[in-house]
Amino acid sequence: MTPHSLAFYIDVVTSGTVLGAKPTDSPDRVTAILGSDFAENSLDDHSMWRDYGMVEFFWIRETPDHPWQGNHFTLQVHRLSCWGGSIVNGAIRDRYGRFDRHLRFDKLERLLGKRSVPLEDAPDVNAPTFARHWQPASQVSVMVCRAHEEWRERRRGDDRIGDVYKSIHR
């Protein structure tokens, strides 16, 4: 892992933003920060998310006549293990450089600890396969792979035990 990409994860966990984009920002504001290279998805008229590669932002609204309200964002860190740094949004790569295929939780936790940004253990419905850690000030959770699902066939490039799987700000 390069120091630059580690700086990205540390910035997200400490600030609760992606390059300054908050989970409550409008779709236009997020696009102004991350660019127009995204895939837009929706299940109905009340929810939408934009996939910027490794980062996804989610919005909701009461009716189609209401404006979109930011709900949360997710860093799909596990995508790096298959696609490498090419999955990282261009604006993020421009600022932080290259990204390795794996983010080790112990390394992230140690660096956050040096900055007095503690992560607390939190219950997770996906245990014991995943463990969740919570940063209360920024409201970011970090999901870590702790075991491999028995039903899943292991493939080259899969996440390793101890890898960060994803990070979520709600």
Side-chain angles (χ1 to χ4, degrees):
M1 182 69 57
T2 66
H4 300 292
S5 60
L6 272 169
F8 168 72
Y9 299 119
I10 290 167
D11 287 350
V12 170
V13 173
T14 57
S15 72
T17 68
V18 176
L19 295 179
K22 297 178 275 195
T24 55
D25 282 342
S26 70
D28 290 342
R29 170 86 173 123
V30 173
T31 297
I33 293 169
L34 295 180
S36 59
D37 186 14
F38 60 82
E40 189 169 287
N41 305 283
S42 181
L43 299 175
D44 54 35
D45 290 338
H46 303 284
S47 65
M48 170 182 70
W49 73 97
R50 288 186 177 168
D51 182 340
Y52 292 88
M54 182 176 68
V55 178
E56 295 177 336
F57 273 80
F58 296 78
W59 294 273
I60 56 173
R61 63 183 175 185
E62 288 184 38
T63 70
D65 297 331
H66 283 83
W68 291 110
Q69 295 180 330
N71 186 267
H72 70 281
F73 67 76
T74 303
L75 301 185
Q76 301 286 2
V77 181
H78 61 94
R79 291 179 181 172
L80 289 165
S81 66
C82 292
W83 291 293
S86 65
I87 196 72
V88 178
N89 170 275
I92 295 170
R93 276 196 324 263
D94 289 348
R95 173 129 177 230
Y96 291 96
R98 75 175 187 87
F99 282 68
D100 195 9
R101 289 182 180 269
H102 299 275
L103 170 59
R104 302 299 296 170
F105 175 71
D106 57 348
K107 191 176 220 178
L108 176 64
E109 184 178 41
R110 186 175 63 251
L111 291 171
L112 288 167
K114 287 181 179 181
R115 290 163 177 77
S116 299
V117 181
L119 291 172
E120 301 174 359
D121 291 343
D124 191 89
V125 297
N126 300 299
T129 304
F130 295 97
R132 190 167 68 95
H133 306 276
W134 173 251
Q135 206 309 304
S138 66
Q139 298 185 11
V140 171
S141 65
V142 177
M143 192 175 219
V144 180
C145 182
R146 291 293 180 212
H148 294 293
E149 298 151 319
E150 292 179 19
W151 58 267
R152 197 169 112 194
E153 182 181 321
R154 293 271 301 144
R155 298 180 311 240
R156 191 174 150 273
D158 271 354
D159 296 305
R160 302 175 301 199
I161 294 173
D163 280 354
V164 171
Y165 187 76
K166 66 179 160 182
S167 182
I168 303 168
H169 182 290
R170 293 201 185 267

